[in-house]
Amino acid sequence: MLPARSSIFRCTTLPCRRTAPFSTSISAAAARRQKGRQPEEHEDKWNYNRSSLFNSSSTNEDSTKFKLVTANDLERFSHPPRSVKMLVRDFIEDSLYNPNYGYFSKQATIFDWDKRPVEFSTIRDSAEFDAVVTERYAAYEVEKQLWHTPTELFKPWYGEAIAQCLVSEYLLKYFPYEDFVIYEIGAGNGTLAMNILDFLRRHYPSVYDRTRYTIIEISENLVQKQRQKLSRSHPGVKVIHKSIFHWDSREPAPCFFLAMEVVDNFAHDVVRYDLDTLQPYQGYITIDSEGEFDTMYTQLDDPLIGSFLDLRQKLGHPLPISRLFRNFPTARRLYRNLPFAANLSKEEYIPTRLLNLLRTLRNHFPRHRLLLSDFSSLSNTIPGVNAPVVQTRVQNTMVACETILVHQGAFDIFFPTNFEHLRDIYECILSQPSTQPTQGPESQLIPDPIPDRSTPLAPSVNSITLGANFFSSHQSPSLNRRNPLDGVFSASGLPVGERMSSVFKHAEFLETYADLSRTVLRNGENPMLDFYKNVKFLF
């Protein structure tokens, strides 16, 4: 079976950037100084950010003095920078989305059947279907960075399932009093928008006439492709060239927000935990004057990372450390006394940009309904907790690397999503009061305020105070709805809150909304159900 965007074998010969073998721990000596005693002699040799014993760089530059930059600062650069340092999320975002050398700006191509979508009823079995896709892949240039999505592989039937989901909700709750408003990010070739709008015009013409479809797209190349594909058939579609993280308009109407196969490429930060204190340290990537990469860790001071960790703690999501170490400091001390024992936990990749998206939805799309789908698990990831796949296409073969420290723009970097944790975080974010932050991309780094529950006018109890079983389907039905928005009433005239989101497996969602007869092979197999078993939906 052909895997989606998955690695086939590990990278052993690609020119990945070199890294120092002992470049992934804070200085234990520095930690001891913070506690008021001098470091022991051996501590300085093994636990520095950059080890003097195993320094792979030919320079002796002090990376702590490098200029601190962000992905926004680097947008004007025509080539990857030198002698700088940045948070890991900025390195990933710059690598993928820089307008001059980013992967999606210059390298990536999304597989497309063009005008010849496959006739599933003519294919014998899944092995033959794999062969058909492989043959179509071979038609692309060998060095093209190429991947496929379910929207493209199973068009138009996959897109029509999405359309049926959205229109069912719209007809139930809003028609004929409100327009059918849809926003989509990461729209790729524009195929999903085309399939949805074609389906509405054919099956629900009165709904189609009231549809407002807007695509928010960061890639200039894809903006042009989307406009070219959609302008003739559906001239009312708006394609806005902007990052969703820079969005500054408010949509007051009820709307549906689509994020299909896009959040896997949202930038993450790296956090590691001091095994003495369990305090988090944030990761930076440094680039010296020769273009060599390294990593360093400092005490947590980034507000976005801190906000995510605080939110996770309130929701009761555990640290990515063994229960033994979390609960028993003595076990940590015994481990730390072992020769050459690490003083930091292994890397954890946390979805800080995804947190930005959820805040944007709450603040600028207050009456939205989110439909999000992406990978819930991945194989061939680099080491770490919630770690990504880092891969590139070489001579028509996908090859994975074992580090994130790779040349900017040449590699795809994509992450799995813990959908159950995402659901909890999303509902918690929506339960907090909407804010109108200062304009600009950095405004969303400000932590959300904690609601004051001490006054009679404070909002009713939210998910934070309801315990770990708050989102369980076994709870009271009233707990499965959000707090009503001010001034928003149901069809009955009562202020009833929206239904909370649920997580669905890929097959569960399609069995509910898709016309599965359209993708059945001659032997009875259905690749639209059988493929993408590592994908889930949030709706």
Side-chain angles (χ1 to χ4, degrees):
M1 184 176 296
L2 187 67
R5 292 176 71 184
S6 64
S7 315
I8 296 177
F9 54 85
R10 287 287 181 184
C11 171
T12 56
T13 58
L14 283 181
C16 302
R17 293 288 186 172
R18 297 194 306 272
T19 61
F22 280 79
S23 62
T24 54
S25 296
I26 62 164
S27 168
R32 297 292 186 266
R33 292 187 188 103
Q34 293 167 10
K35 294 183 177 181
R37 76 169 178 83
Q38 291 300 311
E40 298 177 16
E41 181 180 354
H42 72 274
E43 290 174 331
D44 279 342
K45 294 183 178 181
W46 296 103
N47 287 315
Y48 276 104
N49 274 310
R50 181 187 291 277
S51 172
S52 59
L53 300 181
F54 298 95
N55 186 356
S56 65
S57 175
S58 60
T59 69
N60 293 314
E61 298 170 278
D62 183 359
S63 60
T64 62
K65 296 181 180 179
F66 289 166
K67 181 181 179 182
L68 179 63
V69 296
T70 68
N72 295 319
D73 299 330
L74 299 177
E75 286 182 356
R76 68 181 186 274
F77 281 53
S78 58
H79 300 284
R82 302 284 180 94
S83 300
V84 297
K85 61 184 176 183
M86 64 193 87
L87 287 166
V88 173
R89 71 168 179 264
D90 289 301
F91 177 80
I92 295 172
E93 198 158 295
D94 180 60
S95 299
L96 296 178
Y97 300 111
N98 185 285
N100 299 307
Y101 53 79
Y103 179 83
F104 288 105
S105 303
K106 300 300 180 183
Q107 300 285 341
T109 302
I110 303 173
F111 175 85
D112 191 347
W113 290 113
D114 295 329
K115 297 181 180 179
R116 298 180 289 112
V118 66
E119 291 289 341
F120 291 92
S121 61
T122 66
I123 296 177
R124 182 179 64 254
D125 53 24
S126 59
E128 184 176 331
F129 180 68
D130 284 349
V132 170
V133 176
T134 301
E135 180 183 2
R136 184 67 187 88
Y137 254 60
Y140 286 84
E141 296 177 28
V142 171
E143 294 304 323
K144 280 279 189 181
Q145 297 300 315
L146 183 68
W147 78 88
H148 59 271
T149 66
T151 298
E152 296 291 351
L153 276 190
F154 304 111
K155 71 178 182 183
W157 317 119
Y158 188 87
E160 291 190 0
I162 304 300
Q164 186 62 64
C165 172
L166 300 181
V167 75
S168 298
E169 190 86 355
Y170 169 73
L171 291 172
L172 179 66
K173 297 167 60 176
Y174 302 120
F175 184 80
Y177 306 106
E178 303 276 3
D179 286 342
F180 191 20
V181 182
I182 303 173
Y183 286 84
E184 183 184 3
I185 59 171
N189 293 329
T191 301
L192 180 60
M194 176 72 80
N195 295 159
I196 290 173
L197 293 169
D198 286 348
F199 178 83
L200 294 175
R201 183 165 55 190
R202 187 167 61 252
H203 296 286
Y204 300 92
S206 59
V207 173
Y208 177 80
D209 291 339
R210 302 197 59 174
T211 298
R212 291 195 286 119
Y213 204 110
T214 302
I215 292 173
I216 304 169
E217 178 58 60
I218 191 173
S219 167
E220 184 176 1
N221 291 339
L222 291 178
V223 164
Q224 299 305 320
K225 184 174 289 189
Q226 292 158 8
R227 287 173 177 165
Q228 183 179 3
K229 173 173 280 191
L230 295 165
S231 60
R232 181 172 300 179
S233 298
H234 306 286
V237 174
K238 291 183 180 178
V239 182
I240 299 175
H241 183 203
K242 178 178 281 191
S243 167
I244 185 61
F245 304 121
H246 297 181
W247 191 259
D248 54 7
S249 301
R250 187 175 175 87
E251 174 56 78
C255 61
F256 295 88
F257 199 95
L258 293 177
M260 310 298 293
E261 301 96 41
V262 61
V263 301
D264 59 316
N265 287 119
F266 277 10
H268 286 49
D269 274 291
V270 171
V271 173
R272 300 180 75 180
Y273 299 88
D274 186 329
L275 293 180
D276 290 324
T277 65
L278 296 187
Q279 293 301 306
Y281 282 74
Q282 62 195 26
Y284 289 86
I285 291 178
T286 65
I287 310 174
D288 67 17
S289 60
E290 296 182 349
E292 298 294 337
F293 298 118
D294 202 356
T295 55
M296 59 179 287
Y297 290 85
T298 67
Q299 288 186 317
L300 177 63
D301 62 9
D302 178 71
L304 183 58
I305 298 175
S307 184
F308 180 88
L309 296 180
D310 288 344
L311 183 58
R312 182 171 69 178
Q313 182 180 18
K314 292 167 186 172
L315 289 168
H317 298 167
L319 294 179
I321 299 172
S322 71
R323 183 178 299 178
L324 179 67
F325 279 10
R326 290 201 308 267
N327 297 335
F328 298 100
T330 302
R332 299 200 301 271
R333 285 195 296 270
L334 290 174
Y335 169 77
R336 289 284 292 113
N337 286 329
L338 295 175
F340 310 130
N343 62 343
L344 288 180
S345 66
K346 59 184 176 182
E347 297 91 339
E348 181 195 12
Y349 292 83
I350 60 173
T352 40
R353 276 307 191 194
L354 183 54
L355 178 60
N356 275 159
L357 172 67
L358 302 183
R359 289 177 173 178
T360 297
L361 293 177
R362 180 196 61 192
N363 294 336
H364 298 295
F365 303 87
R367 300 180 65 188
H368 77 276
R369 187 78 197 173
L370 174 63
L371 177 57
L372 182 151
S373 179
D374 227 305
F375 298 113
S376 59
S377 62
L378 291 169
S379 59
N380 290 337
T381 60
I382 67 175
V385 178
N386 195 43
V389 172
V390 181
Q391 68 180 23
T392 192
R393 189 171 182 243
V394 178
Q395 296 182 353
N396 213 23
T397 300
M398 279 298 184
V399 181
C401 270
E402 297 181 347
T403 175
I404 202 169
L405 304 180
V406 292
H407 192 274
Q408 300 98 308
F411 292 78
D412 191 6
I413 303 171
F414 58 103
F415 293 83
T417 296
N418 185 320
F419 272 74
E420 288 69 31
H421 285 185
L422 168 59
R423 173 197 57 200
D424 294 358
I425 292 171
Y426 174 54
E427 293 298 339
C428 185
I429 290 291
L430 293 186
S431 74
Q432 296 170 352
S434 178
T435 60
Q436 292 297 323
T438 305
Q439 299 282 331
E442 300 304 319
S443 63
Q444 296 187 56
L445 302 183
I446 303 171
D448 285 321
I450 304 300
D452 181 6
R453 303 289 176 190
S454 61
T455 67
L457 297 179
S460 60
V461 66
N462 70 4
S463 59
I464 294 175
T465 63
L466 291 175
N469 294 324
F470 175 67
F471 295 99
S472 170
S473 60
H474 300 292
Q475 296 297 308
S476 166
S478 63
L479 296 182
N480 289 327
R481 289 193 173 274
R482 301 168 186 157
N483 293 329
L485 294 173
D486 292 340
V488 177
F489 300 92
S490 68
S492 65
L494 299 175
V496 178
E498 283 279 347
R499 172 180 55 83
M500 287 184 172
S501 295
S502 298
V503 176
F504 301 92
K505 295 179 181 178
H506 187 257
E508 289 175 337
F509 183 89
L510 294 177
E511 286 167 350
T512 302
Y513 296 109
D515 182 358
L516 296 177
S517 65
R518 299 290 191 169
T519 54
V520 175
L521 307 183
R522 282 177 11 216
N523 71 340
E525 291 180 291
N526 195 322
M528 191 163 71
L529 283 181
D530 298 336
F531 282 35
Y532 297 98
K533 291 184 182 295
N534 61 334
V535 165
K536 289 184 178 179
F537 284 81
L538 179 74
F539 183 61

